[in-house]
Amino acid sequence: MNDQPDAVTLVDNQGWDPRILVVRCGDLVDAFIVVSERYVVLVDTLINPQTAAAMLRIAREQLTGGRQLLAINTHADWDHFWGNQLFAGPDVAHPAPIFASRRSADRFRAPEEGQQFLAEMREHEPGRFDDVRITRPTVLFDGRLLIDGGDLTLELFPTPGHQPDHVAIFIPEIGALLAGDAAESPFPLVHTADGLPLLRASLARTAALKPNTVLYCHAPVTSGPELLQANIAYFDELERRCRAARASGAAARPAEAEDVEALIAFPLAEAIPTDIKADELPDLYRRGHRTAIRAMLEWLEHS
Ligand SMILES: [Zn+2]
């Protein structure tokens, strides 16, 4: 076991524009710091105040020349926004507006659910989340938002599907896309039949930008734009196999106990690139693949 599972490190630049800093939290998630003439922009705030503070230490070195600190939440999943309390609220380490999609407000409509989830996470991993205080983003926008940093423009645009509030960020001056969790390795996670077509449309939207640099929250920094195409191909193949299975009688809503990978003849090992071993992947992706199969079968029933 790793002694410091949440160690926050600055990833060596591997060829992307040096104004983007990649901040890695253990093997869990990457966040980004975009340094423009006017702003230092945190793209996500990591998982708790300790990791957010480590990210802030890296960002602070860039707060020169009158630059202001801004934060963005790509979406309100715990691994992307549980560091928010450093930037808004009573234990603020460095105040900054926190931008997020207006759709994120829906995710805070039942605060007791968020508290319940936090309580479960604290119980599951004592110590790790004890200091987290769930802190909502403070500036919500509909549709697109452009942040004019002077030399770089951050275009925040909706990319729902993984979650309804998801936004990705495109920086046109350097053709860079920060994909968040709209795309990931080996495939992005979809939770419902309704989310599936949204996620696929979001993948198409990001690929249509023809970015030359793509950085993801859950993929190696060397994945490149090719991963967008691989994610698109995953869902296309999933659809093909689900259609074939339906043609031979597979139900739209298979029973809970049903082996859906066998049902549509699409085992996880075939769904991922050959250089990734299915049994070495976090269980999250096996569950994710099965959920995606069920979502696709249900979606085909209605489309
Ligand atoms: Zn995530």
Side-chain angles (χ1 to χ4, degrees):
M1 283 297 283
N2 189 339
D3 294 344
Q4 285 186 296
D6 295 332
V8 173
T9 53
L10 183 61
V11 177
D12 286 339
N13 188 297
Q14 290 169 49
W16 59 84
D17 189 283
R19 290 168 287 186
I20 301 175
L21 307 181
V22 179
V23 178
R24 175 155 300 158
C25 179
D27 56 7
L28 178 69
V29 67
D30 285 358
F32 310 97
I33 300 171
V34 182
V35 182
S36 69
E37 285 171 357
R38 287 197 188 101
Y39 301 115
V40 173
V41 185
L42 310 180
V43 179
D44 289 339
T45 62
L46 298 178
I47 66 165
N48 56 25
Q50 291 78 19
T51 54
M55 185 175 181
L56 177 59
R57 276 195 290 278
I58 297 169
R60 266 193 169 136
E61 293 175 22
Q62 307 297 330
L63 283 171
T64 54
R67 291 191 186 107
Q68 281 179 285
L69 190 69
L70 305 179
I72 295 169
N73 292 155
T74 57
H75 60 302
D77 274 355
W78 69 275
D79 52 327
H80 301 263
F81 89 105
W82 274 6
N84 277 5
Q85 73 203 61
L86 261 71
F87 311 104
D91 1 306
V92 73
H94 192 119
I98 305 169
F99 293 84
S101 157
R102 182 179 180 139
R103 296 294 303 271
S104 68
D106 297 338
R107 306 193 60 191
F108 297 100
R109 238 167 230 142
E112 61 288 352
E113 284 174 21
Q115 290 303 330
Q116 174 64 30
F117 179 64
L118 175 57
E120 287 165 15
M121 293 285 274
R122 282 177 177 161
E123 193 168 37
H124 187 60
E125 294 183 84
R128 197 180 188 193
F129 305 110
D130 289 3
D131 301 326
V132 171
R133 208 188 52 253
I134 292 176
T135 302
R136 303 167 58 143
T138 58
V139 185
L140 304 187
F141 60 95
D142 273 322
R144 286 176 175 261
L145 179 77
L146 301 193
I147 297 176
D148 178 358
D151 54 340
L152 299 178
T153 310
L154 279 72
E155 299 186 2
L156 284 60
F157 63 102
T159 37
H162 168 65
Q163 291 290 357
D165 61 325
H166 195 282
V167 296
I169 294 130
F170 186 58
I171 307 174
E173 292 86 354
I174 53 175
L177 174 73
L178 305 178
D181 288 4
E184 74 178 70
S185 174
F187 46 75
L189 298 169
V190 66
H191 307 289
T192 62
D194 292 343
L196 179 67
L198 296 175
L199 182 68
R200 296 176 83 189
S202 292
L203 279 168
R205 199 171 306 135
T206 55
L209 294 167
K210 300 203 180 346
N212 48 49
T213 297
V214 188
L215 294 164
Y216 308 82
C217 292
H218 305 284
V221 289
T222 51
S223 299
E226 296 78 9
L227 182 57
L228 296 177
Q229 298 303 333
N231 284 178
I232 289 169
Y234 165 74
F235 288 106
D236 289 352
E237 184 61 16
L238 180 65
E239 178 177 347
R240 201 183 65 73
R241 298 210 189 193
C242 283
R243 282 189 188 279
R246 276 170 55 81
S248 44
R253 289 172 191 261
E256 201 52 50
E258 178 96 41
D259 176 350
V260 290
E261 292 178 48
L263 179 73
I264 70 155
F266 196 24
L268 179 64
E270 274 181 44
I272 59 181
T274 46
D275 58 337
I276 301 178
K277 294 206 170 28
D279 52 6
E280 289 171 9
L281 269 182
D283 194 48
L284 177 72
Y285 293 104
R286 181 166 296 280
R287 283 184 273 122
H289 181 51
R290 291 175 179 170
T291 302
I293 293 169
R294 290 176 185 275
M296 183 66 81
L297 288 169
E298 194 182 329
W299 176 72
L300 287 171
E301 179 75 4
H302 299 299
S303 59

